[in-house]
Amino acid sequence: MTGYDDESAARALIVRTARSLFTRGLTHGSTGNLSVRLADGSLLLTPTGSSLGTVEEAELSRTDLTGHHLDGPRPTKEAFLHAAFYRARPTAHAVVHLHCTHAAAVSCLDDIDRANALPPLTAYYAMRVGTLPLLPYHAPGDSGLEPLAERTARTHHAVLLANHGPVVAGRSLAQAADAIEELEETAKLHLLLRGHTTRPLTREQAAALAPTSS
């Protein structure tokens, strides 16, 4: 698969996924954005200021791999972040960025490992996310984050933005959405278990389940 080759079907998939994430409380208000890579190399993204609960197929934006706006409404102000992930990961065909509550809460903690913000508490987290670097704070839409995001995405398909939320790439939109949901659930577990002695997977157990390139 070189990208989604049916733009009409890709638009419907983005809206269907956006509705699912929103109605299940994984994003709120006008936060969060989704994108897919089309077969011609352009990117289809949710537009700036839109809610994932109400965005329509005709309202989606299209950019190139540099984030340059090609057509449709103005894209999300974080289009550069999506483009950086696609440039870094040629096999990725979807990117999901959310402000989900528990992952955002973890991104605000002062005592987390910046090289790996969440421990591998479950096998499914180890399989779908692996390691999760925390990128330093940048204001939303600050393109100064772009080069760091691109460098980090070459070796990690998921990152956590400090005081912000997670970004996850996948070979498909379903894969990226599944991974970011697993990340959110693990963040919830991590916060529920703070103050308790935990037994994460060992380094060897986690390595055996680490996700392949996406």
Side-chain angles (χ1 to χ4, degrees):
M1 181 179 178
T2 56
Y4 287 87
D5 55 8
D6 183 335
E7 182 175 336
S8 177
R11 286 176 179 269
L13 177 62
I14 288 175
V15 169
R16 189 162 63 249
T17 305
R19 293 283 192 280
S20 175
L21 294 170
F22 185 89
T23 56
R24 290 181 296 118
L26 287 157
T27 191
H28 57 277
S30 60
T31 64
N33 33 78
L34 313 180
S35 69
V36 301
R37 191 202 306 250
L38 298 174
D40 65 4
S42 64
L43 310 180
L44 198 60
L45 311 95
T46 49
T48 188
S50 67
S51 166
L52 297 189
T54 58
V55 66
E56 299 290 349
E57 293 177 30
E59 297 170 348
L60 300 180
S61 307
R62 203 161 60 87
T63 74
D64 63 18
L65 269 180
T66 69
H68 175 70
H69 185 198
L70 297 176
D71 59 53
R74 193 157 56 93
T76 168
K77 58 179 171 290
E78 288 159 337
F80 70 87
L81 195 55
H82 291 251
F85 266 74
Y86 290 116
R87 291 195 304 269
R89 307 189 69 82
T91 60
H93 299 123
V95 173
V96 178
H97 167 48
L98 299 178
H99 298 185
C100 37
T101 302
H102 299 91
V106 169
S107 82
C108 299
L109 297 175
D110 190 45
D111 60 348
I112 56 176
D113 181 357
R114 292 179 176 268
N116 191 15
L118 284 173
L121 293 173
T122 68
Y124 282 96
Y125 177 81
M127 284 190 289
R128 291 178 177 164
V129 179
T131 57
L132 182 69
L134 178 74
L135 302 191
Y137 175 76
H138 288 72
D142 180 355
S143 61
L145 177 59
E146 185 171 4
L148 175 59
E150 185 170 354
R151 287 196 304 274
T152 308
R154 289 175 190 148
T155 52
H156 298 83
H157 75 289
V159 302
L160 186 60
L161 308 180
N163 304 85
H164 193 156
V167 184
V168 178
R171 289 180 179 269
S172 67
L173 189 52
Q175 186 187 66
D178 283 348
I180 208 166
E181 288 191 58
E182 197 66 47
L183 191 160
E184 169 65 1
E185 286 304 305
T186 301
K188 183 177 181 179
L189 285 174
H190 178 65
L191 294 170
L192 285 170
L193 291 168
R194 278 175 72 84
H196 296 273
T197 301
T198 60
R199 190 183 62 255
L201 273 63
T202 66
R203 183 174 298 179
E204 292 74 21
Q205 288 169 334
L209 296 169
T212 56
S213 178
S214 58

